[in-house]
Amino acid sequence: MKKNMLSAAFSLSLILAPAVLTTAFAAPTTVQVTASDSTGDLSYPALYTESSWMSLAVPLADLGGSIPSDLSLDAGTLAAGTTITLDGVTQTGDTALLHVTVSRADTGVSIDQMVTINVMSGGQTVATLSIPVIGAASSD
């Protein structure tokens, strides 16, 4: 019983924990995970698997003031079979929206993990994001 309660408390803390952005030049700042719909932007505290509608909002200042043409993501700390793919980048004001797809090879296995994503340009890490990735197990 205690183990289940601790596991539930840990999972809840991951869900409620804010995403964090760190760069080589600044102290950590909050990063929003956003999704757009016809009513405007919605904010989410985590990336959800089996989604291709989520974006990571990164201040342009953390990318050197503009969006590099060779921007890529490295999410090497994810559980096996889970991927985060950069689909494109758009600019909204002074923010870069990194549009991502999050998927799993096996949807029968749940994931509730804090992941570190390196935002790369020119082979160098320009920013590091830490954010929960969540996906419930499902059966066919």
Side-chain angles (χ1 to χ4, degrees), residues 10-21 29-35 41-49 51 53-57 84 100 102 111-117 129-135:
F10 177 72
S11 295
L12 185 58
S13 70
L14 283 179
I15 291 170
L16 298 177
V20 174
L21 167 71
T29 57
T30 300
V31 174
Q32 286 185 322
V33 178
T34 60
D41 289 340
L42 301 174
S43 293
Y44 293 87
L47 288 174
Y48 297 98
T49 60
S51 68
W53 48 268
M54 301 192 90
S55 300
L56 298 166
I84 299 174
V100 297
V102 185
I111 183 171
D112 186 354
Q113 174 185 356
M114 184 65 79
V115 65
T116 299
I117 302 169
L129 309 170
S130 294
I131 189 161
V133 174
I134 299 171

Side-chain angles (χ1 to χ4, degrees), residues 31-95:
V31 174
Q32 286 185 322
V33 178
T34 60
S36 295
D37 66 6
S38 61
T39 62
D41 289 340
L42 301 174
S43 293
Y44 293 87
L47 288 174
Y48 297 98
T49 60
E50 291 70 60
S51 68
S52 59
W53 48 268
M54 301 192 90
S55 300
L56 298 166
V58 179
L60 280 177
D62 292 325
L63 300 177
S66 63
I67 298 172
S69 61
D70 64 343
L71 208 61
S72 64
L73 300 180
D74 175 16
T77 60
L78 276 170
T82 303
T83 59
I84 299 174
T85 305
L86 181 63
D87 297 327
V89 182
T90 57
Q91 182 176 338
T92 303
D94 60 354
T95 301

Side-chain angles (χ1 to χ4, degrees), residues 97-120:
L97 294 177
L98 285 61
H99 305 282
V100 297
T101 296
V102 185
S103 58
R104 293 177 287 177
D106 183 358
T107 58
V109 177
S110 65
I111 183 171
D112 186 354
Q113 174 185 356
M114 184 65 79
V115 65
T116 299
I117 302 169
N118 292 315
V119 181
M120 311 287 291

